[in-house]
Amino acid sequence: MAEKITFAPLSYTGWGSLNYLSEEVQRLRGQNILLVTDPFLHEMGLTQKIIAPLEALNLTINVYTKVVPEPPLAVAEELVAYAREHQSDMVIGLGGGSALDLAKLAGIITVHEGDVKDYLNLTATRKLLHKGLPTILIPTTSGTGSEVTNIAVLSLETTKDVVTHDYLLADVAIVDPELTMSLPPKVTAATGVDALTHAVEAYISRNASPVSDALALQAIQLISGSLRTAVKDGQNKEARIAMSYGSYLAGLAFFNAGVAGVHALAYPLGGQFHIAHGDSNAVLLPYVMGYIRSSCEKRMKDIYNAMGFNSSYLSQEEASHKCVEELQRLVEDVGIPSSLKGFGVGEDALTSLTEDATKQTRILARSPMPLEKEDIFAIYKAAYD
Ligand code: NAD
């Protein structure tokens, strides 16, 4: 089957890659730059690493600092109004997926008619017609892979929705692990399991290909080999570097192969209970994989091997069970609650969570095992107890 493979955008990776920022801003001819970030990163001075070298080039920089985790539509609309008002000609996103996704939206919607809501996937009334402002994305978490994907995720009242188009692809991604050294253990854990989920779901996706498989398996190896250390000892440079590469590769993998059941069930948890994206994925990962295990035993054996275990003496079925156990162990070892109860979700919410997850048909279609309403409810129920 023919397939489209995207390796955009131009990327700089590895320790010190932020040094390429000025060169890229000049190449892309930014003069009046919008920096999108969150208030915490601004207060802790991380934004100065962007602002200082650009001010030295006499460029104008407007800093938008109202990004919040799991951003709602209203913040995206406000940001686009800000970018239009300041006549920005380039956007830089600095932060976790929340800041990067909003930066993508500022880049594209600012130069189109209407509001962000007109372009949301589930309710779109307008189409994106052309590329947006030049955009540079600089992640400070090792998680979402947003710097290399064509999607921006927003939180709506009870679920999440996306704006997605290749016009949202950044021009440049700068993935510098040094920027992740200040991540606290809890955020390291949640974002790290998010990245692992991207790789695992890309590997078992119905859209997987030899290209996405290579990216996903390498990501699984890097993340499962370094996440515990990065959580325990945030100053461990080697672990931070491995996580940075792992999340970047996982982003490329899922951008090409897509994500599946875990994400479809995680979105309503974010929407209804405001649980961070990484935590929602983490709590569900072992339960979804346990439920669909029999539909992808061979692939789960590969994942088990990529996690550093030897499955040569195991049947595919045995290895797939062990894979689920190890995923569960990893989630627990990095301190993430292993049940929905642990996140304060009541049993009475399982029906409405199921209703909302069922609507994620585009994502569910990639699951190797078809997930109907009763399957989704059964997974939530297992994750609840
Ligand atoms: P986030 O951007 O919400 O950040 C989480 C917290 O970490 C924030 O409080 C932030 O201030 C803090 N933080 C970030 N970097 C830090 C650092 N270096 N030091 C200290 N603190 C730091 O978290 P996230 O998980 O990266 O992003 C989540 C968002 O990304 C969600 O909205 C999710 O839906 C979206 N997402 C997007 C994609 C995509 O492809 N576009 C993929 C997955 C998830």
mmCIF file of all heavy atoms in Angstrom, residues 38 40-41 44 46 67-71 95-99 101 104 140-141 143-147 149-155 160 179-184 187 190-191 194 198 254 263 267 276-278 281, ligand 1:
data_model
loop_
_atom_site.group_PDB
_atom_site.id
_atom_site.type_symbol
_atom_site.label_atom_id
_atom_site.label_comp_id
_atom_site.label_asym_id
_atom_site.label_seq_id
_atom_site.Cartn_x
_atom_site.Cartn_y
_atom_site.Cartn_z
ATOM 1 N N ASP A 38 4.146 29.888 28.666
ATOM 2 C CA ASP A 38 3.262 29.944 29.837
ATOM 3 C C ASP A 38 3.899 30.792 30.939
ATOM 4 O O ASP A 38 5.099 31.044 30.926
ATOM 5 C CB ASP A 38 2.807 28.550 30.284
ATOM 6 C CG ASP A 38 3.893 27.727 30.953
ATOM 7 O OD1 ASP A 38 4.656 28.280 31.776
ATOM 8 O OD2 ASP A 38 3.962 26.521 30.659
ATOM 9 N N PHE A 40 4.625 30.414 33.995
ATOM 10 C CA PHE A 40 5.640 29.793 34.850
ATOM 11 C C PHE A 40 7.020 29.835 34.177
ATOM 12 O O PHE A 40 8.016 30.215 34.788
ATOM 13 C CB PHE A 40 5.206 28.357 35.156
ATOM 14 C CG PHE A 40 6.168 27.621 36.025
ATOM 15 C CD1 PHE A 40 6.364 27.996 37.347
ATOM 16 C CD2 PHE A 40 6.915 26.568 35.512
ATOM 17 C CE1 PHE A 40 7.274 27.325 38.142
ATOM 18 C CE2 PHE A 40 7.832 25.898 36.294
ATOM 19 C CZ PHE A 40 8.011 26.276 37.618
ATOM 20 N N LEU A 41 7.067 29.480 32.905
ATOM 21 C CA LEU A 41 8.353 29.463 32.186
ATOM 22 C C LEU A 41 8.900 30.879 32.048
ATOM 23 O O LEU A 41 10.114 31.096 32.060
ATOM 24 C CB LEU A 41 8.198 28.811 30.808
ATOM 25 C CG LEU A 41 7.781 27.348 30.810
ATOM 26 C CD1 LEU A 41 7.689 26.812 29.396
ATOM 27 C CD2 LEU A 41 8.746 26.502 31.625
ATOM 28 N N MET A 44 10.273 31.895 35.539
ATOM 29 C CA MET A 44 11.543 31.233 35.908
ATOM 30 C C MET A 44 12.701 31.645 34.993
ATOM 31 O O MET A 44 13.841 31.201 35.174
ATOM 32 C CB MET A 44 11.385 29.703 35.976
ATOM 33 C CG MET A 44 11.173 29.024 34.661
ATOM 34 S SD MET A 44 10.899 27.252 34.891
ATOM 35 C CE MET A 44 12.542 26.650 34.611
ATOM 36 N N LEU A 46 13.142 31.226 31.697
ATOM 37 C CA LEU A 46 13.499 30.423 30.526
ATOM 38 C C LEU A 46 13.308 31.218 29.227
ATOM 39 O O LEU A 46 14.054 31.047 28.253
ATOM 40 C CB LEU A 46 12.638 29.151 30.489
ATOM 41 C CG LEU A 46 13.276 27.903 29.902
ATOM 42 C CD1 LEU A 46 14.536 27.512 30.660
ATOM 43 C CD2 LEU A 46 12.299 26.736 29.899
ATOM 44 N N VAL A 67 -0.621 31.175 28.374
ATOM 45 C CA VAL A 67 -0.876 29.756 28.077
ATOM 46 C C VAL A 67 -1.177 29.013 29.376
ATOM 47 O O VAL A 67 -0.492 29.228 30.387
ATOM 48 C CB VAL A 67 0.358 29.126 27.399
ATOM 49 C CG1 VAL A 67 0.191 27.618 27.246
ATOM 50 C CG2 VAL A 67 0.615 29.777 26.045
ATOM 51 N N VAL A 68 -2.205 28.174 29.358
ATOM 52 C CA VAL A 68 -2.505 27.319 30.519
ATOM 53 C C VAL A 68 -2.436 25.856 30.066
ATOM 54 O O VAL A 68 -2.630 25.567 28.885
ATOM 55 C CB VAL A 68 -3.905 27.613 31.112
ATOM 56 C CG1 VAL A 68 -3.946 28.986 31.735
ATOM 57 C CG2 VAL A 68 -4.991 27.482 30.040
ATOM 58 N N PRO A 69 -2.158 24.938 31.014
ATOM 59 C CA PRO A 69 -2.142 23.519 30.623
ATOM 60 C C PRO A 69 -3.490 23.100 30.032
ATOM 61 O O PRO A 69 -4.537 23.596 30.448
ATOM 62 C CB PRO A 69 -1.874 22.786 31.939
ATOM 63 C CG PRO A 69 -1.199 23.792 32.804
ATOM 64 C CD PRO A 69 -1.782 25.121 32.424
ATOM 65 N N GLU A 70 -3.464 22.198 29.089
ATOM 66 C CA GLU A 70 -4.677 21.716 28.400
ATOM 67 C C GLU A 70 -5.521 22.927 27.980
ATOM 68 O O GLU A 70 -6.650 23.100 28.440
ATOM 69 C CB GLU A 70 -5.515 20.802 29.307
ATOM 70 C CG GLU A 70 -4.745 19.797 30.145
ATOM 71 C CD GLU A 70 -4.050 18.722 29.328
ATOM 72 O OE1 GLU A 70 -4.691 18.154 28.448
ATOM 73 O OE2 GLU A 70 -2.857 18.476 29.579
ATOM 74 N N PRO A 71 -5.011 23.783 27.116
ATOM 75 C CA PRO A 71 -5.660 25.083 26.871
ATOM 76 C C PRO A 71 -7.088 24.970 26.327
ATOM 77 O O PRO A 71 -7.359 24.169 25.430
ATOM 78 C CB PRO A 71 -4.738 25.741 25.830
ATOM 79 C CG PRO A 71 -3.934 24.641 25.250
ATOM 80 C CD PRO A 71 -3.821 23.578 26.285
ATOM 81 N N GLY A 95 7.639 25.827 25.288
ATOM 82 C CA GLY A 95 6.929 25.223 26.416
ATOM 83 C C GLY A 95 6.573 23.781 26.132
ATOM 84 O O GLY A 95 7.134 23.140 25.237
ATOM 85 N N GLY A 96 5.607 23.295 26.902
ATOM 86 C CA GLY A 96 5.102 21.951 26.657
ATOM 87 C C GLY A 96 4.126 21.997 25.483
ATOM 88 O O GLY A 96 3.987 23.021 24.798
ATOM 89 N N GLY A 97 3.422 20.884 25.294
ATOM 90 C CA GLY A 97 2.477 20.803 24.190
ATOM 91 C C GLY A 97 1.435 21.912 24.220
ATOM 92 O O GLY A 97 0.963 22.356 23.161
ATOM 93 N N SER A 98 1.075 22.388 25.414
ATOM 94 C CA SER A 98 0.040 23.431 25.497
ATOM 95 C C SER A 98 0.497 24.694 24.783
ATOM 96 O O SER A 98 -0.252 25.282 23.991
ATOM 97 C CB SER A 98 -0.282 23.736 26.970
ATOM 98 O OG SER A 98 -0.732 22.560 27.607
ATOM 99 N N ALA A 99 1.734 25.125 25.053
ATOM 100 C CA ALA A 99 2.258 26.343 24.406
ATOM 101 C C ALA A 99 2.500 26.103 22.914
ATOM 102 O O ALA A 99 2.194 26.962 22.083
ATOM 103 C CB ALA A 99 3.550 26.783 25.090
ATOM 104 N N ASP A 101 1.034 23.965 20.856
ATOM 105 C CA ASP A 101 -0.214 23.869 20.088
ATOM 106 C C ASP A 101 -0.816 25.261 19.864
ATOM 107 O O ASP A 101 -1.319 25.572 18.781
ATOM 108 C CB ASP A 101 -1.227 22.977 20.818
ATOM 109 C CG ASP A 101 -0.899 21.495 20.655
ATOM 110 O OD1 ASP A 101 0.142 21.179 20.049
ATOM 111 O OD2 ASP A 101 -1.685 20.658 21.127
ATOM 112 N N LYS A 104 1.064 27.074 17.180
ATOM 113 C CA LYS A 104 0.661 26.624 15.835
ATOM 114 C C LYS A 104 -0.626 27.319 15.406
ATOM 115 O O LYS A 104 -0.757 27.747 14.256
ATOM 116 C CB LYS A 104 0.376 25.115 15.847
ATOM 117 C CG LYS A 104 1.577 24.231 15.971
ATOM 118 C CD LYS A 104 1.062 22.783 15.997
ATOM 119 C CE LYS A 104 2.137 21.790 16.286
ATOM 120 N NZ LYS A 104 1.621 20.432 16.449
ATOM 121 N N THR A 140 9.783 22.209 25.863
ATOM 122 C CA THR A 140 10.484 22.186 27.159
ATOM 123 C C THR A 140 10.045 20.984 27.980
ATOM 124 O O THR A 140 10.447 20.841 29.132
ATOM 125 C CB THR A 140 10.227 23.485 27.955
ATOM 126 O OG1 THR A 140 8.821 23.559 28.249
ATOM 127 C CG2 THR A 140 10.660 24.715 27.178
ATOM 128 N N THR A 141 9.134 20.154 27.440
ATOM 129 C CA THR A 141 8.825 18.864 28.051
ATOM 130 C C THR A 141 9.247 17.784 27.054
ATOM 131 O O THR A 141 9.347 18.072 25.855
ATOM 132 C CB THR A 141 7.305 18.688 28.333
ATOM 133 O OG1 THR A 141 6.570 18.780 27.098
ATOM 134 C CG2 THR A 141 6.782 19.722 29.302
ATOM 135 N N GLY A 143 7.548 15.016 25.819
ATOM 136 C CA GLY A 143 6.252 14.341 25.897
ATOM 137 C C GLY A 143 5.481 14.327 24.606
ATOM 138 O O GLY A 143 5.469 13.321 23.889
ATOM 139 N N THR A 144 4.860 15.454 24.284
ATOM 140 C CA THR A 144 3.799 15.437 23.276
ATOM 141 C C THR A 144 4.281 15.195 21.847
ATOM 142 O O THR A 144 3.517 14.703 21.025
ATOM 143 C CB THR A 144 3.025 16.775 23.270
ATOM 144 O OG1 THR A 144 3.911 17.810 22.824
ATOM 145 C CG2 THR A 144 2.516 17.116 24.654
ATOM 146 N N GLY A 145 5.505 15.607 21.533
ATOM 147 C CA GLY A 145 5.951 15.531 20.134
ATOM 148 C C GLY A 145 5.287 16.589 19.270
ATOM 149 O O GLY A 145 5.434 16.597 18.041
ATOM 150 N N SER A 146 4.579 17.519 19.894
ATOM 151 C CA SER A 146 3.832 18.536 19.144
ATOM 152 C C SER A 146 4.716 19.296 18.160
ATOM 153 O O SER A 146 4.235 19.770 17.131
ATOM 154 C CB SER A 146 3.185 19.512 20.140
ATOM 155 O OG SER A 146 2.634 20.604 19.479
ATOM 156 N N GLU A 147 6.009 19.388 18.474
ATOM 157 C CA GLU A 147 6.921 20.156 17.601
ATOM 158 C C GLU A 147 7.029 19.562 16.197
ATOM 159 O O GLU A 147 7.492 20.234 15.285
ATOM 160 C CB GLU A 147 8.321 20.261 18.251
ATOM 161 C CG GLU A 147 9.119 18.965 18.380
ATOM 162 C CD GLU A 147 8.753 18.143 19.622
ATOM 163 O OE1 GLU A 147 7.760 18.483 20.298
ATOM 164 O OE2 GLU A 147 9.463 17.158 19.914
ATOM 165 N N THR A 149 4.309 17.562 14.767
ATOM 166 C CA THR A 149 3.009 17.089 14.270
ATOM 167 C C THR A 149 2.194 18.239 13.661
ATOM 168 O O THR A 149 2.506 19.410 13.877
ATOM 169 C CB THR A 149 2.167 16.417 15.380
ATOM 170 O OG1 THR A 149 1.741 17.421 16.302
ATOM 171 C CG2 THR A 149 2.954 15.341 16.101
ATOM 172 N N ASN A 150 1.135 17.863 12.961
ATOM 173 C CA ASN A 150 0.316 18.877 12.275
ATOM 174 C C ASN A 150 -1.012 19.094 13.002
ATOM 175 O O ASN A 150 -2.018 19.401 12.384
ATOM 176 C CB ASN A 150 0.060 18.443 10.822
ATOM 177 C CG ASN A 150 -0.808 17.197 10.752
ATOM 178 O OD1 ASN A 150 -1.141 16.601 11.787
ATOM 179 N ND2 ASN A 150 -1.212 16.802 9.557
ATOM 180 N N ILE A 151 -0.975 18.913 14.331
ATOM 181 C CA ILE A 151 -2.220 18.955 15.109
ATOM 182 C C ILE A 151 -2.088 19.960 16.246
ATOM 183 O O ILE A 151 -1.016 20.096 16.834
ATOM 184 C CB ILE A 151 -2.489 17.554 15.719
ATOM 185 C CG1 ILE A 151 -3.221 16.683 14.714
ATOM 186 C CG2 ILE A 151 -3.226 17.598 16.990
ATOM 187 C CD1 ILE A 151 -3.827 15.440 15.299
ATOM 188 N N ALA A 152 -3.172 20.644 16.548
ATOM 189 C CA ALA A 152 -3.235 21.443 17.779
ATOM 190 C C ALA A 152 -4.467 20.991 18.550
ATOM 191 O O ALA A 152 -5.559 20.900 17.972
ATOM 192 C CB ALA A 152 -3.323 22.923 17.460
ATOM 193 N N VAL A 153 -4.283 20.678 19.834
ATOM 194 C CA VAL A 153 -5.386 20.120 20.630
ATOM 195 C C VAL A 153 -5.936 21.196 21.572
ATOM 196 O O VAL A 153 -5.170 21.902 22.228
ATOM 197 C CB VAL A 153 -4.885 18.932 21.496
ATOM 198 C CG1 VAL A 153 -6.053 18.227 22.177
ATOM 199 C CG2 VAL A 153 -4.080 17.944 20.669
ATOM 200 N N LEU A 154 -7.263 21.285 21.623
ATOM 201 C CA LEU A 154 -7.894 22.231 22.553
ATOM 202 C C LEU A 154 -8.893 21.499 23.440
ATOM 203 O O LEU A 154 -9.497 20.506 23.024
ATOM 204 C CB LEU A 154 -8.625 23.329 21.780
ATOM 205 C CG LEU A 154 -7.715 24.320 21.034
ATOM 206 C CD1 LEU A 154 -8.536 25.245 20.150
ATOM 207 C CD2 LEU A 154 -6.873 25.131 22.016
ATOM 208 N N SER A 155 -9.047 22.009 24.667
ATOM 209 C CA SER A 155 -10.035 21.417 25.580
ATOM 210 C C SER A 155 -11.365 22.118 25.389
ATOM 211 O O SER A 155 -11.434 23.354 25.438
ATOM 212 C CB SER A 155 -9.583 21.593 27.034
ATOM 213 O OG SER A 155 -8.391 20.891 27.243
ATOM 214 N N LYS A 160 -12.085 16.886 24.075
ATOM 215 C CA LYS A 160 -11.079 17.682 23.377
ATOM 216 C C LYS A 160 -11.375 17.638 21.882
ATOM 217 O O LYS A 160 -12.001 16.702 21.398
ATOM 218 C CB LYS A 160 -9.699 17.098 23.628
ATOM 219 C CG LYS A 160 -9.195 17.337 25.042
ATOM 220 C CD LYS A 160 -7.772 16.878 25.170
ATOM 221 C CE LYS A 160 -7.150 17.382 26.442
ATOM 222 N NZ LYS A 160 -5.710 17.093 26.485
ATOM 223 N N LEU A 179 16.651 22.286 27.993
ATOM 224 C CA LEU A 179 15.456 23.031 28.422
ATOM 225 C C LEU A 179 14.541 22.188 29.300
ATOM 226 O O LEU A 179 13.597 22.712 29.897
ATOM 227 C CB LEU A 179 14.680 23.526 27.199
ATOM 228 C CG LEU A 179 15.439 24.477 26.273
ATOM 229 C CD1 LEU A 179 14.643 24.758 25.017
ATOM 230 C CD2 LEU A 179 15.747 25.789 27.006
ATOM 231 N N THR A 180 14.793 20.889 29.358
ATOM 232 C CA THR A 180 13.910 20.018 30.155
ATOM 233 C C THR A 180 14.488 19.733 31.547
ATOM 234 O O THR A 180 13.841 19.059 32.347
ATOM 235 C CB THR A 180 13.669 18.662 29.449
ATOM 236 O OG1 THR A 180 14.911 17.925 29.406
ATOM 237 C CG2 THR A 180 13.159 18.827 28.039
ATOM 238 N N MET A 181 15.683 20.239 31.822
ATOM 239 C CA MET A 181 16.339 19.905 33.094
ATOM 240 C C MET A 181 15.526 20.374 34.309
ATOM 241 O O MET A 181 15.632 19.809 35.387
ATOM 242 C CB MET A 181 17.744 20.507 33.155
ATOM 243 C CG MET A 181 18.726 19.963 32.143
ATOM 244 S SD MET A 181 19.068 18.209 32.315
ATOM 245 C CE MET A 181 20.234 18.200 33.672
ATOM 246 N N SER A 182 14.735 21.421 34.140
ATOM 247 C CA SER A 182 13.986 21.971 35.276
ATOM 248 C C SER A 182 12.628 21.306 35.473
ATOM 249 O O SER A 182 11.885 21.675 36.395
ATOM 250 C CB SER A 182 13.785 23.477 35.053
ATOM 251 O OG SER A 182 13.238 23.693 33.765
ATOM 252 N N LEU A 183 12.289 20.328 34.640
ATOM 253 C CA LEU A 183 10.973 19.680 34.787
ATOM 254 C C LEU A 183 10.869 18.960 36.130
ATOM 255 O O LEU A 183 11.726 18.135 36.456
ATOM 256 C CB LEU A 183 10.780 18.633 33.693
ATOM 257 C CG LEU A 183 10.294 19.071 32.320
ATOM 258 C CD1 LEU A 183 10.352 17.885 31.365
ATOM 259 C CD2 LEU A 183 8.876 19.603 32.404
ATOM 260 N N PRO A 184 9.823 19.213 36.901
ATOM 261 C CA PRO A 184 9.647 18.480 38.156
ATOM 262 C C PRO A 184 9.291 17.006 37.902
ATOM 263 O O PRO A 184 8.805 16.669 36.809
ATOM 264 C CB PRO A 184 8.495 19.207 38.844
ATOM 265 C CG PRO A 184 7.892 20.102 37.843
ATOM 266 C CD PRO A 184 8.806 20.229 36.657
ATOM 267 N N VAL A 187 5.754 16.085 36.379
ATOM 268 C CA VAL A 187 5.549 16.436 34.959
ATOM 269 C C VAL A 187 6.441 15.562 34.074
ATOM 270 O O VAL A 187 6.029 15.130 32.993
ATOM 271 C CB VAL A 187 5.834 17.944 34.709
ATOM 272 C CG1 VAL A 187 5.480 18.312 33.268
ATOM 273 C CG2 VAL A 187 5.071 18.820 35.675
ATOM 274 N N ALA A 190 4.491 12.206 33.813
ATOM 275 C CA ALA A 190 3.269 12.229 32.982
ATOM 276 C C ALA A 190 3.621 12.448 31.511
ATOM 277 O O ALA A 190 3.104 11.754 30.624
ATOM 278 C CB ALA A 190 2.323 13.328 33.469
ATOM 279 N N THR A 191 4.511 13.403 31.237
ATOM 280 C CA THR A 191 4.841 13.686 29.836
ATOM 281 C C THR A 191 5.644 12.530 29.237
ATOM 282 O O THR A 191 5.493 12.209 28.057
ATOM 283 C CB THR A 191 5.606 15.022 29.704
ATOM 284 O OG1 THR A 191 6.710 15.017 30.615
ATOM 285 C CG2 THR A 191 4.722 16.206 30.023
ATOM 286 N N ASP A 194 3.326 9.845 28.323
ATOM 287 C CA ASP A 194 2.609 10.308 27.121
ATOM 288 C C ASP A 194 3.423 9.942 25.878
ATOM 289 O O ASP A 194 2.897 9.377 24.905
ATOM 290 C CB ASP A 194 2.423 11.832 27.215
ATOM 291 C CG ASP A 194 1.590 12.395 26.083
ATOM 292 O OD1 ASP A 194 0.788 11.642 25.518
ATOM 293 O OD2 ASP A 194 1.740 13.599 25.773
ATOM 294 N N HIS A 198 2.560 7.398 22.754
ATOM 295 C CA HIS A 198 2.590 7.717 21.312
ATOM 296 C C HIS A 198 3.308 6.619 20.534
ATOM 297 O O HIS A 198 2.861 6.185 19.475
ATOM 298 C CB HIS A 198 3.324 9.050 21.079
ATOM 299 C CG HIS A 198 2.588 10.229 21.615
ATOM 300 N ND1 HIS A 198 3.200 11.383 22.017
ATOM 301 C CD2 HIS A 198 1.267 10.408 21.839
ATOM 302 C CE1 HIS A 198 2.294 12.233 22.442
ATOM 303 N NE2 HIS A 198 1.112 11.669 22.353
ATOM 304 N N PHE A 254 4.012 8.745 15.668
ATOM 305 C CA PHE A 254 2.537 8.812 15.727
ATOM 306 C C PHE A 254 1.990 9.805 14.713
ATOM 307 O O PHE A 254 0.855 9.668 14.246
ATOM 308 C CB PHE A 254 2.025 9.063 17.143
ATOM 309 C CG PHE A 254 1.774 10.485 17.547
ATOM 310 C CD1 PHE A 254 0.590 11.128 17.193
ATOM 311 C CD2 PHE A 254 2.688 11.168 18.325
ATOM 312 C CE1 PHE A 254 0.338 12.437 17.599
ATOM 313 C CE2 PHE A 254 2.453 12.470 18.717
ATOM 314 C CZ PHE A 254 1.280 13.109 18.354
ATOM 315 N N HIS A 263 -5.647 7.084 23.345
ATOM 316 C CA HIS A 263 -5.954 8.506 23.184
ATOM 317 C C HIS A 263 -7.455 8.769 23.086
ATOM 318 O O HIS A 263 -7.949 9.754 23.630
ATOM 319 C CB HIS A 263 -5.238 9.068 21.957
ATOM 320 C CG HIS A 263 -3.831 9.487 22.258
ATOM 321 N ND1 HIS A 263 -2.831 8.580 22.456
ATOM 322 C CD2 HIS A 263 -3.279 10.712 22.440
ATOM 323 C CE1 HIS A 263 -1.714 9.231 22.729
ATOM 324 N NE2 HIS A 263 -1.944 10.523 22.730
ATOM 325 N N TYR A 267 -9.006 11.422 25.903
ATOM 326 C CA TYR A 267 -9.528 12.777 25.622
ATOM 327 C C TYR A 267 -10.697 13.163 26.545
ATOM 328 O O TYR A 267 -10.689 14.244 27.125
ATOM 329 C CB TYR A 267 -9.938 12.900 24.142
ATOM 330 C CG TYR A 267 -8.783 13.210 23.202
ATOM 331 C CD1 TYR A 267 -8.969 13.298 21.830
ATOM 332 C CD2 TYR A 267 -7.495 13.437 23.682
ATOM 333 C CE1 TYR A 267 -7.919 13.585 20.961
ATOM 334 C CE2 TYR A 267 -6.441 13.716 22.822
ATOM 335 C CZ TYR A 267 -6.664 13.787 21.468
ATOM 336 O OH TYR A 267 -5.623 14.077 20.615
ATOM 337 N N ALA A 276 -4.395 16.017 33.379
ATOM 338 C CA ALA A 276 -3.367 16.343 32.390
ATOM 339 C C ALA A 276 -3.285 15.233 31.345
ATOM 340 O O ALA A 276 -3.435 14.048 31.668
ATOM 341 C CB ALA A 276 -2.021 16.537 33.074
ATOM 342 N N HIS A 277 -3.005 15.647 30.112
ATOM 343 C CA HIS A 277 -2.997 14.705 28.992
ATOM 344 C C HIS A 277 -2.106 13.488 29.268
ATOM 345 O O HIS A 277 -2.487 12.347 29.017
ATOM 346 C CB HIS A 277 -2.530 15.443 27.732
ATOM 347 C CG HIS A 277 -2.432 14.583 26.529
ATOM 348 N ND1 HIS A 277 -3.538 14.109 25.863
ATOM 349 C CD2 HIS A 277 -1.355 14.073 25.885
ATOM 350 C CE1 HIS A 277 -3.146 13.360 24.848
ATOM 351 N NE2 HIS A 277 -1.822 13.316 24.833
ATOM 352 N N GLY A 278 -0.908 13.735 29.784
ATOM 353 C CA GLY A 278 0.026 12.640 30.044
ATOM 354 C C GLY A 278 -0.534 11.671 31.077
ATOM 355 O O GLY A 278 -0.433 10.442 30.925
ATOM 356 N N ASN A 281 -3.382 9.496 29.588
ATOM 357 C CA ASN A 281 -2.847 8.407 28.768
ATOM 358 C C ASN A 281 -2.221 7.334 29.645
ATOM 359 O O ASN A 281 -2.400 6.139 29.417
ATOM 360 C CB ASN A 281 -1.774 8.943 27.808
ATOM 361 C CG ASN A 281 -2.374 9.493 26.534
ATOM 362 O OD1 ASN A 281 -3.468 9.128 26.149
ATOM 363 N ND2 ASN A 281 -1.649 10.381 25.896
HETATM 364 P P1 NAD B 1 1.961 21.360 29.342
HETATM 365 O O1 NAD B 1 2.445 22.096 28.147
HETATM 366 O O2 NAD B 1 0.528 21.566 29.696
HETATM 367 O O3 NAD B 1 2.896 21.679 30.578
HETATM 368 C C1 NAD B 1 2.656 21.044 31.826
HETATM 369 C C2 NAD B 1 3.290 21.837 32.951
HETATM 370 O O4 NAD B 1 4.710 21.724 32.850
HETATM 371 C C3 NAD B 1 2.984 23.332 32.891
HETATM 372 O O5 NAD B 1 2.610 23.745 34.178
HETATM 373 C C4 NAD B 1 4.304 23.973 32.486
HETATM 374 O O6 NAD B 1 4.492 25.251 33.048
HETATM 375 C C5 NAD B 1 5.309 22.991 33.059
HETATM 376 N N1 NAD B 1 6.600 22.976 32.341
HETATM 377 C C6 NAD B 1 6.810 22.842 31.013
HETATM 378 N N2 NAD B 1 8.125 22.813 30.750
HETATM 379 C C7 NAD B 1 8.769 22.962 31.924
HETATM 380 C C8 NAD B 1 10.144 23.006 32.308
HETATM 381 N N3 NAD B 1 11.125 22.872 31.420
HETATM 382 N N4 NAD B 1 10.434 23.174 33.622
HETATM 383 C C9 NAD B 1 9.447 23.258 34.546
HETATM 384 N N5 NAD B 1 8.134 23.207 34.249
HETATM 385 C C10 NAD B 1 7.800 23.062 32.958
HETATM 386 O O7 NAD B 1 2.190 19.778 29.195
HETATM 387 P P2 NAD B 1 2.409 18.830 27.951
HETATM 388 O O8 NAD B 1 2.067 17.477 28.421
HETATM 389 O O9 NAD B 1 3.726 19.029 27.326
HETATM 390 O O10 NAD B 1 1.303 19.293 26.891
HETATM 391 C C11 NAD B 1 -0.047 18.932 27.041
HETATM 392 C C12 NAD B 1 -0.887 19.496 25.906
HETATM 393 O O11 NAD B 1 -0.376 19.026 24.646
HETATM 394 C C13 NAD B 1 -2.319 19.025 25.993
HETATM 395 O O12 NAD B 1 -3.204 20.065 25.640
HETATM 396 C C14 NAD B 1 -2.377 17.892 24.986
HETATM 397 O O13 NAD B 1 -3.667 17.643 24.507
HETATM 398 C C15 NAD B 1 -1.453 18.434 23.914
HETATM 399 N N6 NAD B 1 -0.892 17.425 22.992
HETATM 400 C C16 NAD B 1 -0.615 17.815 21.738
HETATM 401 C C17 NAD B 1 -0.088 16.918 20.818
HETATM 402 C C18 NAD B 1 0.201 17.364 19.421
HETATM 403 O O14 NAD B 1 0.661 16.581 18.592
HETATM 404 N N7 NAD B 1 -0.069 18.595 19.086
HETATM 405 C C19 NAD B 1 0.185 15.599 21.203
HETATM 406 C C20 NAD B 1 -0.089 15.224 22.510
HETATM 407 C C21 NAD B 1 -0.629 16.147 23.406
#
